[in-house]
Amino acid sequence: MAMSDSFLRACRLEPVDSTPVWFMRQAGRYMPEYRAIREKHSLLEICEQPALAAEITLQPIRRLGVDAAILFADILLPAVPLGVGLEFAKGEGPRLPHPVRSMEDVERLRTVNPEADLANVMETIRILRTQLGSTPLIGFCGAPFTVASYLIEGQGSRDFLLTKKMMYSMPDAWHALMAKLATLLAAYLQAQIRAGAQAVQLFDSWVGALSPRDYVEYVQPYSRTVLQAAGALDVPVIHFGTGTASLLPAMKSAGGTVMGLDWRVPVAEGWKMVGYDVGLQGNLDPAVLFAPLPEIKRRVKDILNQAEGRPGHVFNLGHGILPNTPVDHVRAVVDMVHEYSSVGAAVS
Ligand code: CP3
């Protein structure tokens, strides 16, 4: 296990001995020990059984030497107590059987009390804090927009047409839905922090589908509610999205002590855009992990060079680890980041 406090220090913009690194989706199908558990249990079964979810959270900590653990759960778990339902069809991604398409559907959503209705998640966190030692634990939830898109579409989407249709043609229903989600997700993150999460990440994975103007009008106030609620409990808050090149200033204004960057924007540019008063997480293209090691090395060095050893850099991918990623390449990146960023190391 990593004995390092570098992740929390970097999140607070404090100097570190070497750049901390963790990976979105660091637990998952690319790992044989994950697949072994998945042969016997569905994803939802794992999320509902704290001992199993905790075990899977620990797998990448043991194998990779990363500087932080991320709770094993899914951003769509709240769909179950909301009454929308959730299934993961084999190889097809999430399906939500009772999607939200009208004001009546929004009004029918149940009121969720995360402490009680997502009690298994809190129990997983409590178990993990007894097992993780000095490795910090990151809690997370989906951002209101990204969660709303699944509730409305009933599945993943390319164009988010039903989502935008509600936004543009039923603004009252949209705002009522987003207000409900903001309240729920704010309480959910606070419950995770009270259970022991030492940092949290808000995943707005699909927010890049929006123009800056629509983001500000339809999304920003609700993300702000969630980010502020988490920040009020004095833990680092990472605000992540993909396809965000034109949204970064507005996302920064919504909140977050560390901004998560995908690989489409170079670190130097992205950090300049959000300002040096926040940390910067990212942003190796997950596909680079399939390249030969010398190429990976070149890309890792480039990111570290662009971060210039500035306090506040948390190394990560620009999005989650893909299935079939070679595990030894992931491990190699952890070592490269630590080695090349060590105080005194010359990065060329
Ligand atoms: O290691 C970790 O990062 C923690 C666990 C985690 C999962 N999902 C487990 C999971 C986290 C942080 C998530 C977040 C999540 N879930 C997001 C936001 C991050 C992102 O990738 O953009 C989204 C959009 C989801 C919704 C979701 N869950 C989808 C679209 C899918 C199917 C696609 C896929 O990758 O299979 C899932 C399933 C899911 N959630 C898996 C895992 C490990 C794959 C499960 C399996 O079949 O074993």
Side-chain angles (χ1 to χ4, degrees), residues 222-242:
Y222 307 103
S223 287
R224 183 175 283 137
T225 298
V226 181
L227 293 158
Q228 281 182 352
L233 298 190
D234 277 332
V235 299
V237 180
I238 307 167
H239 187 184
F240 168 79
T242 74

Side-chain angles (χ1 to χ4, degrees), residues 159-286:
D159 48 24
F160 299 91
L161 198 52
L162 294 169
T163 307
K164 292 184 180 183
K165 199 171 145 193
M166 185 188 283
M167 224 180 240
Y168 302 148
S169 352
M170 293 181 258
D172 291 352
W174 172 263
H175 286 290
L177 173 60
M178 290 294 275
K180 279 196 179 187
L181 288 177
T183 303
L184 157 57
L185 296 167
Y188 187 32
L189 284 188
Q190 289 198 330
Q192 291 185 35
I193 295 162
R194 280 193 221 100
Q198 292 141 297
V200 291
Q201 176 159 321
L202 191 71
F203 282 94
D204 214 347
S205 302
W206 311 131
V207 71
L210 297 176
S211 68
R213 192 181 157 160
D214 284 347
Y215 178 80
V216 168
E217 179 169 353
Y218 296 103
V219 174
Q220 191 189 46
Y222 307 103
S223 287
R224 183 175 283 137
T225 298
V226 181
L227 293 158
Q228 281 182 352
L233 298 190
D234 277 332
V235 299
V237 180
I238 307 167
H239 187 184
F240 168 79
T242 74
T244 56
S246 68
L247 301 178
L248 283 171
M251 287 177 70
K252 190 258 177 97
S253 148
T257 50
V258 177
M259 298 303 295
L261 200 64
D262 81 12
W263 65 90
R264 295 170 184 88
V265 180
V267 163
E269 256 175 67
W271 210 338
K272 197 169 162 199
M273 240 189 275
V274 296
Y276 302 117
D277 56 330
V278 287
L280 202 286
Q281 175 174 281
N283 71 347
L284 189 71
D285 185 338

Side-chain angles (χ1 to χ4, degrees), residues 2 37 72 100 112 116 149 161 170 216 293 318:
I37 294 182
F72 192 83
V100 178
V112 177
S149 79
L161 198 52
M170 293 181 258
V216 168
L293 285 169

Side-chain angles (χ1 to χ4, degrees), residues 24-29 34 38 43 70-76 88 93-94 140 150 203 205-206 319:
M24 292 181 273
R25 296 289 187 98
Q26 63 190 15
R29 282 162 297 187
Y34 174 82
R38 273 287 276 117
L43 178 65
I70 179 159
L71 166 72
F72 192 83
D74 195 88
I75 64 162
L76 299 179
F88 285 92
F140 71 91
Y150 282 101
F203 282 94
S205 302
W206 311 131
H319 203 172

Side-chain angles (χ1 to χ4, degrees), residues 23-348:
F23 303 103
M24 292 181 273
R25 296 289 187 98
Q26 63 190 15
R29 282 162 297 187
Y30 76 106
M31 276 200 174
E33 56 268 46
Y34 174 82
R35 291 197 301 273
I37 294 182
R38 273 287 276 117
E39 273 175 23
K40 295 185 211 114
H41 303 276
S42 72
L43 178 65
L44 289 177
E45 273 169 21
I46 294 169
C47 293
E48 279 161 14
Q49 296 185 36
L52 273 181
E55 167 59 23
I56 290 178
T57 304
L58 294 170
Q59 288 176 344
I61 307 307
R62 297 191 192 107
R63 195 189 261 259
L64 303 176
V66 285
D67 297 295
I70 179 159
L71 166 72
F72 192 83
D74 195 88
I75 64 162
L76 299 179
L77 293 184
V80 179
L82 278 168
V84 177
L86 178 62
E87 296 157 10
F88 285 92
K90 208 170 171 58
E92 285 182 50
R95 289 281 186 280
L96 298 81
H98 309 290
V100 178
R101 305 265 166 87
S102 65
M103 185 58 114
E104 294 69 50
D105 293 339
V106 175
E107 283 164 355
R108 210 176 298 131
L109 291 172
R110 295 193 203 120
T111 301
V112 177
N113 170 6
E115 301 271 9
D117 299 323
L118 294 155
N120 296 341
V121 173
M122 308 314 150
E123 181 57 19
T124 304
I125 293 172
R126 283 189 287 268
I127 294 175
L128 280 166
R129 280 304 302 278
T130 68
Q131 299 184 342
L132 273 166
S134 60
T135 303
L137 177 63
I138 305 169
F140 71 91
C141 72
F145 172 79
T146 291
V147 174
S149 79
Y150 282 101
L151 297 184
I152 295 167
E153 307 280 342
Q155 57 186 24
S157 176
R158 286 182 73 84
D159 48 24
F160 299 91
L161 198 52
L162 294 169
T163 307
K164 292 184 180 183
K165 199 171 145 193
M166 185 188 283
M167 224 180 240
Y168 302 148
S169 352
M170 293 181 258
D172 291 352
W174 172 263
H175 286 290
L177 173 60
M178 290 294 275
K180 279 196 179 187
L181 288 177
T183 303
L184 157 57
L185 296 167
Y188 187 32
L189 284 188
Q190 289 198 330
Q192 291 185 35
I193 295 162
R194 280 193 221 100
Q198 292 141 297
V200 291
Q201 176 159 321
L202 191 71
F203 282 94
D204 214 347
S205 302
W206 311 131
V207 71
L210 297 176
S211 68
R213 192 181 157 160
D214 284 347
Y215 178 80
V216 168
E217 179 169 353
Y218 296 103
V219 174
Q220 191 189 46
Y222 307 103
S223 287
R224 183 175 283 137
T225 298
V226 181
L227 293 158
Q228 281 182 352
L233 298 190
D234 277 332
V235 299
V237 180
I238 307 167
H239 187 184
F240 168 79
T242 74
T244 56
S246 68
L247 301 178
L248 283 171
M251 287 177 70
K252 190 258 177 97
S253 148
T257 50
V258 177
M259 298 303 295
L261 200 64
D262 81 12
W263 65 90
R264 295 170 184 88
V265 180
V267 163
E269 256 175 67
W271 210 338
K272 197 169 162 199
M273 240 189 275
V274 296
Y276 302 117
D277 56 330
V278 287
L280 202 286
Q281 175 174 281
N283 71 347
L284 189 71
D285 185 338
V288 167
L289 292 170
F290 292 79
L293 285 169
E295 182 61 20
I296 296 177
K297 197 170 184 173
R298 210 169 63 85
R299 308 283 190 128
V300 168
K301 282 188 171 176
D302 177 50
I303 288 169
L304 291 170
N305 278 330
Q306 292 197 42
E308 295 181 310
R310 212 180 275 285
H313 184 219
V314 176
F315 196 100
N316 204 314
L317 303 179
H319 203 172
I321 293 186
L322 297 163
N324 303 319
T325 298
V327 180
D328 54 332
H329 286 192
V330 183
R331 165 83 230 189
V333 168
V334 174
D335 294 340
M336 288 175 197
V337 171
H338 288 156
E339 182 185 341
Y340 303 146
S341 68
S342 284
V343 174
V347 180
S348 57

